[in-house]
mmCIF file of all heavy atoms in Angstrom:
data_model
loop_
_atom_site.group_PDB
_atom_site.id
_atom_site.type_symbol
_atom_site.label_atom_id
_atom_site.label_comp_id
_atom_site.label_asym_id
_atom_site.label_seq_id
_atom_site.Cartn_x
_atom_site.Cartn_y
_atom_site.Cartn_z
ATOM 1 N N GLU A 693 32.314 19.369 7.655
ATOM 2 C CA GLU A 693 32.497 20.830 7.059
ATOM 3 C C GLU A 693 32.422 20.891 5.580
ATOM 4 O O GLU A 693 31.925 21.759 5.053
ATOM 5 C CB GLU A 693 33.659 21.382 7.634
ATOM 6 C CG GLU A 693 33.544 22.078 9.030
ATOM 7 C CD GLU A 693 34.904 22.654 9.456
ATOM 8 O OE1 GLU A 693 36.018 22.254 8.958
ATOM 9 O OE2 GLU A 693 34.872 23.622 10.175
ATOM 10 N N MET A 694 33.089 19.939 4.995
ATOM 11 C CA MET A 694 33.205 19.904 3.564
ATOM 12 C C MET A 694 31.730 19.636 2.987
ATOM 13 O O MET A 694 31.451 20.231 1.908
ATOM 14 C CB MET A 694 34.024 18.669 3.208
ATOM 15 C CG MET A 694 35.166 19.117 2.167
ATOM 16 S SD MET A 694 36.055 17.662 1.805
ATOM 17 C CE MET A 694 37.095 17.291 3.221
ATOM 18 N N HIS A 695 31.032 18.871 3.575
ATOM 19 C CA HIS A 695 29.660 18.508 3.014
ATOM 20 C C HIS A 695 28.641 19.611 3.337
ATOM 21 O O HIS A 695 27.777 19.888 2.549
ATOM 22 C CB HIS A 695 29.160 17.178 3.491
ATOM 23 C CG HIS A 695 29.814 16.000 2.815
ATOM 24 N ND1 HIS A 695 29.210 15.291 1.887
ATOM 25 C CD2 HIS A 695 31.032 15.461 2.981
ATOM 26 C CE1 HIS A 695 30.067 14.435 1.467
ATOM 27 N NE2 HIS A 695 31.152 14.420 2.124
ATOM 28 N N HIS A 696 28.662 20.144 4.457
ATOM 29 C CA HIS A 696 27.607 20.940 4.986
ATOM 30 C C HIS A 696 28.080 22.358 5.102
ATOM 31 O O HIS A 696 27.110 23.202 5.460
ATOM 32 C CB HIS A 696 26.973 20.424 6.253
ATOM 33 C CG HIS A 696 26.412 19.048 6.196
ATOM 34 N ND1 HIS A 696 25.215 18.823 5.482
ATOM 35 C CD2 HIS A 696 26.884 17.793 6.491
ATOM 36 C CE1 HIS A 696 24.972 17.529 5.556
ATOM 37 N NE2 HIS A 696 25.984 16.958 6.260
ATOM 38 N N GLY A 697 29.361 22.654 5.160
ATOM 39 C CA GLY A 697 29.761 24.060 5.298
ATOM 40 C C GLY A 697 30.210 24.307 6.736
ATOM 41 O O GLY A 697 29.569 23.676 7.632
ATOM 42 N N PRO A 698 31.165 25.216 6.997
ATOM 43 C CA PRO A 698 31.745 25.388 8.250
ATOM 44 C C PRO A 698 30.755 25.984 9.322
ATOM 45 O O PRO A 698 30.939 25.991 10.552
ATOM 46 C CB PRO A 698 32.971 26.240 8.084
ATOM 47 C CG PRO A 698 32.670 26.913 6.707
ATOM 48 C CD PRO A 698 31.908 25.945 5.907
ATOM 49 N N SER A 699 29.630 26.707 8.795
ATOM 50 C CA SER A 699 28.800 27.212 9.817
ATOM 51 C C SER A 699 27.456 26.604 9.839
ATOM 52 O O SER A 699 26.427 27.173 10.318
ATOM 53 C CB SER A 699 28.528 28.783 9.476
ATOM 54 O OG SER A 699 28.284 28.970 8.110
ATOM 55 N N SER A 700 27.433 25.270 9.349
ATOM 56 C CA SER A 700 26.130 24.703 9.236
ATOM 57 C C SER A 700 25.700 24.121 10.667
ATOM 58 O O SER A 700 26.590 23.935 11.502
ATOM 59 C CB SER A 700 26.227 23.389 8.295
ATOM 60 O OG SER A 700 27.310 22.525 8.679
ATOM 61 N N VAL A 701 24.509 23.696 10.792
ATOM 62 C CA VAL A 701 23.969 23.033 12.027
ATOM 63 C C VAL A 701 24.734 21.683 12.370
ATOM 64 O O VAL A 701 25.237 21.473 13.390
ATOM 65 C CB VAL A 701 22.575 22.616 11.916
ATOM 66 C CG1 VAL A 701 22.011 22.224 13.302
ATOM 67 C CG2 VAL A 701 21.720 23.684 11.251
ATOM 68 N N GLU A 702 25.078 21.052 11.192
ATOM 69 C CA GLU A 702 25.712 19.666 11.368
ATOM 70 C C GLU A 702 27.184 19.896 11.983
ATOM 71 O O GLU A 702 27.595 19.264 12.807
ATOM 72 C CB GLU A 702 25.942 19.026 10.014
ATOM 73 C CG GLU A 702 24.456 18.520 9.402
ATOM 74 C CD GLU A 702 23.632 19.651 8.698
ATOM 75 O OE1 GLU A 702 24.045 20.780 8.640
ATOM 76 O OE2 GLU A 702 22.624 19.252 8.161
ATOM 77 N N THR A 703 27.857 20.893 11.441
ATOM 78 C CA THR A 703 29.111 21.135 12.010
ATOM 79 C C THR A 703 29.031 21.726 13.473
ATOM 80 O O THR A 703 29.832 21.188 14.267
ATOM 81 C CB THR A 703 29.843 22.259 11.123
ATOM 82 O OG1 THR A 703 29.927 21.873 9.837
ATOM 83 C CG2 THR A 703 31.315 22.578 11.601
ATOM 84 N N GLY A 704 28.037 22.520 13.731
ATOM 85 C CA GLY A 704 27.813 22.958 15.066
ATOM 86 C C GLY A 704 27.670 21.751 16.100
ATOM 87 O O GLY A 704 28.248 21.712 17.149
ATOM 88 N N HIS A 705 26.878 20.737 15.662
ATOM 89 C CA HIS A 705 26.643 19.501 16.586
ATOM 90 C C HIS A 705 27.878 18.768 16.718
ATOM 91 O O HIS A 705 28.116 18.276 17.785
ATOM 92 C CB HIS A 705 25.509 18.733 15.877
ATOM 93 C CG HIS A 705 24.229 19.170 15.972
ATOM 94 N ND1 HIS A 705 23.825 19.923 17.162
ATOM 95 C CD2 HIS A 705 23.106 19.353 15.165
ATOM 96 C CE1 HIS A 705 22.508 20.298 16.925
ATOM 97 N NE2 HIS A 705 22.114 20.013 15.739
ATOM 98 N N GLU A 706 28.704 18.628 15.601
ATOM 99 C CA GLU A 706 30.004 17.862 15.754
ATOM 100 C C GLU A 706 30.929 18.639 16.749
ATOM 101 O O GLU A 706 31.553 18.005 17.585
ATOM 102 C CB GLU A 706 30.646 17.737 14.427
ATOM 103 C CG GLU A 706 29.868 16.665 13.463
ATOM 104 C CD GLU A 706 29.941 15.303 13.965
ATOM 105 O OE1 GLU A 706 31.158 14.769 14.044
ATOM 106 O OE2 GLU A 706 28.904 14.808 14.310
ATOM 107 N N LEU A 707 30.940 19.969 16.637
ATOM 108 C CA LEU A 707 31.765 20.761 17.545
ATOM 109 C C LEU A 707 31.364 20.613 18.943
ATOM 110 O O LEU A 707 32.169 20.541 20.006
ATOM 111 C CB LEU A 707 31.816 22.180 17.135
ATOM 112 C CG LEU A 707 32.644 22.545 15.899
ATOM 113 C CD1 LEU A 707 32.335 23.931 15.394
ATOM 114 C CD2 LEU A 707 34.246 22.301 16.166
ATOM 115 N N PHE A 708 29.975 20.544 19.149
ATOM 116 C CA PHE A 708 29.445 20.360 20.450
ATOM 117 C C PHE A 708 30.040 19.043 21.019
ATOM 118 O O PHE A 708 30.317 19.034 22.253
ATOM 119 C CB PHE A 708 27.971 20.382 20.286
ATOM 120 C CG PHE A 708 27.209 20.230 21.670
ATOM 121 C CD1 PHE A 708 27.020 21.414 22.426
ATOM 122 C CD2 PHE A 708 26.649 18.989 22.053
ATOM 123 C CE1 PHE A 708 26.309 21.239 23.698
ATOM 124 C CE2 PHE A 708 25.947 18.898 23.229
ATOM 125 C CZ PHE A 708 25.837 20.011 24.057
ATOM 126 N N LYS A 709 29.997 17.945 20.260
ATOM 127 C CA LYS A 709 30.432 16.671 20.700
ATOM 128 C C LYS A 709 31.898 16.760 21.043
ATOM 129 O O LYS A 709 32.352 16.179 22.025
ATOM 130 C CB LYS A 709 30.263 15.589 19.691
ATOM 131 C CG LYS A 709 28.907 15.007 19.652
ATOM 132 C CD LYS A 709 28.801 13.792 18.711
ATOM 133 C CE LYS A 709 28.355 14.108 17.351
ATOM 134 N NZ LYS A 709 28.296 12.960 16.586
ATOM 135 N N LEU A 710 32.765 17.373 20.173
ATOM 136 C CA LEU A 710 34.271 17.547 20.485
ATOM 137 C C LEU A 710 34.375 18.307 21.790
ATOM 138 O O LEU A 710 35.258 17.878 22.548
ATOM 139 C CB LEU A 710 34.785 18.274 19.215
ATOM 140 C CG LEU A 710 36.372 18.526 19.367
ATOM 141 C CD1 LEU A 710 37.050 17.103 19.461
ATOM 142 C CD2 LEU A 710 36.890 19.284 18.271
ATOM 143 N N ALA A 711 33.604 19.351 22.060
ATOM 144 C CA ALA A 711 33.746 20.109 23.293
ATOM 145 C C ALA A 711 33.530 19.165 24.413
ATOM 146 O O ALA A 711 34.203 19.235 25.356
ATOM 147 C CB ALA A 711 32.696 21.326 23.242
ATOM 148 N N GLN A 712 32.516 18.305 24.372
ATOM 149 C CA GLN A 712 32.194 17.429 25.538
ATOM 150 C C GLN A 712 33.367 16.423 25.680
ATOM 151 O O GLN A 712 33.741 16.130 26.863
ATOM 152 C CB GLN A 712 31.028 16.625 25.156
ATOM 153 C CG GLN A 712 29.668 17.349 25.179
ATOM 154 C CD GLN A 712 28.546 16.475 24.956
ATOM 155 O OE1 GLN A 712 27.965 15.832 25.742
ATOM 156 N NE2 GLN A 712 28.104 16.364 23.627
ATOM 157 N N ILE A 713 33.975 15.930 24.586
ATOM 158 C CA ILE A 713 35.159 15.009 24.633
ATOM 159 C C ILE A 713 36.251 15.672 25.361
ATOM 160 O O ILE A 713 36.932 15.098 26.181
ATOM 161 C CB ILE A 713 35.505 14.461 23.332
ATOM 162 C CG1 ILE A 713 34.380 13.349 22.882
ATOM 163 C CG2 ILE A 713 36.784 13.895 23.304
ATOM 164 C CD1 ILE A 713 34.452 12.749 21.552
ATOM 165 N N LEU A 714 36.581 16.974 24.861
ATOM 166 C CA LEU A 714 37.712 17.632 25.394
ATOM 167 C C LEU A 714 37.464 17.987 26.839
ATOM 168 O O LEU A 714 38.447 17.964 27.685
ATOM 169 C CB LEU A 714 38.061 18.934 24.524
ATOM 170 C CG LEU A 714 38.424 18.733 23.083
ATOM 171 C CD1 LEU A 714 38.298 20.000 22.304
ATOM 172 C CD2 LEU A 714 39.859 18.136 23.027
ATOM 173 N N PHE A 715 36.300 18.317 27.184
ATOM 174 C CA PHE A 715 35.802 18.666 28.566
ATOM 175 C C PHE A 715 36.093 17.475 29.500
ATOM 176 O O PHE A 715 36.732 17.598 30.481
ATOM 177 C CB PHE A 715 34.393 19.039 28.402
ATOM 178 C CG PHE A 715 33.687 19.278 29.796
ATOM 179 C CD1 PHE A 715 33.733 20.401 30.489
ATOM 180 C CD2 PHE A 715 32.927 18.192 30.364
ATOM 181 C CE1 PHE A 715 33.227 20.593 31.712
ATOM 182 C CE2 PHE A 715 32.292 18.420 31.591
ATOM 183 C CZ PHE A 715 32.429 19.603 32.174
ATOM 184 N N ASN A 716 35.680 16.296 29.022
ATOM 185 C CA ASN A 716 35.868 15.051 29.747
ATOM 186 C C ASN A 716 37.263 14.686 29.911
ATOM 187 O O ASN A 716 37.720 14.038 30.828
ATOM 188 C CB ASN A 716 35.065 13.949 29.142
ATOM 189 C CG ASN A 716 33.551 13.954 29.520
ATOM 190 O OD1 ASN A 716 33.319 14.134 30.683
ATOM 191 N ND2 ASN A 716 32.774 13.780 28.554
ATOM 192 N N GLY A 717 38.093 15.035 28.904
ATOM 193 C CA GLY A 717 39.440 14.675 28.809
ATOM 194 C C GLY A 717 40.358 15.683 29.459
ATOM 195 O O GLY A 717 41.590 15.681 29.417
ATOM 196 N N PHE A 718 39.834 16.739 30.130
ATOM 197 C CA PHE A 718 40.530 17.807 30.879
ATOM 198 C C PHE A 718 41.374 18.644 29.870
ATOM 199 O O PHE A 718 42.454 19.175 30.294
ATOM 200 C CB PHE A 718 41.359 17.193 31.953
ATOM 201 C CG PHE A 718 40.554 16.484 32.983
ATOM 202 C CD1 PHE A 718 40.681 15.118 33.007
ATOM 203 C CD2 PHE A 718 39.560 17.132 33.769
ATOM 204 C CE1 PHE A 718 39.868 14.353 33.924
ATOM 205 C CE2 PHE A 718 38.822 16.294 34.634
ATOM 206 C CZ PHE A 718 38.974 14.997 34.821
ATOM 207 N N ALA A 719 41.193 18.576 28.548
ATOM 208 C CA ALA A 719 41.997 19.450 27.687
ATOM 209 C C ALA A 719 41.398 20.813 27.800
ATOM 210 O O ALA A 719 40.649 21.272 26.866
ATOM 211 C CB ALA A 719 41.907 18.863 26.267
ATOM 212 N N VAL A 720 41.634 21.583 28.818
ATOM 213 C CA VAL A 720 41.058 22.715 29.085
ATOM 214 C C VAL A 720 41.012 23.895 28.108
ATOM 215 O O VAL A 720 39.912 24.338 27.622
ATOM 216 C CB VAL A 720 41.516 23.306 30.491
ATOM 217 C CG1 VAL A 720 40.774 24.627 30.905
ATOM 218 C CG2 VAL A 720 41.247 22.282 31.623
ATOM 219 N N SER A 721 42.137 24.149 27.582
ATOM 220 C CA SER A 721 42.198 25.402 26.732
ATOM 221 C C SER A 721 41.545 25.040 25.402
ATOM 222 O O SER A 721 40.818 25.908 24.803
ATOM 223 C CB SER A 721 43.638 25.893 26.466
ATOM 224 O OG SER A 721 44.453 24.876 25.891
ATOM 225 N N GLU A 722 41.792 23.819 24.855
ATOM 226 C CA GLU A 722 41.178 23.384 23.562
ATOM 227 C C GLU A 722 39.702 23.271 23.751
ATOM 228 O O GLU A 722 38.890 23.643 22.905
ATOM 229 C CB GLU A 722 41.753 22.097 22.938
ATOM 230 C CG GLU A 722 41.588 22.119 21.520
ATOM 231 C CD GLU A 722 41.828 20.690 20.824
ATOM 232 O OE1 GLU A 722 42.521 19.980 21.466
ATOM 233 O OE2 GLU A 722 41.270 20.455 19.795
#
Side-chain angles (χ1 to χ4, degrees):
E693 272 186 331
M694 232 183 287
H695 283 257
H696 300 285
S699 50
S700 61
V701 192
E702 289 82 358
T703 303
H705 288 320
E706 289 292 296
L707 284 170
F708 183 80
K709 273 193 265 180
L710 181 60
Q712 292 179 86
I713 284 173
L714 295 167
F715 172 83
N716 280 313
F718 305 110
V720 178
S721 67
E722 205 193 336

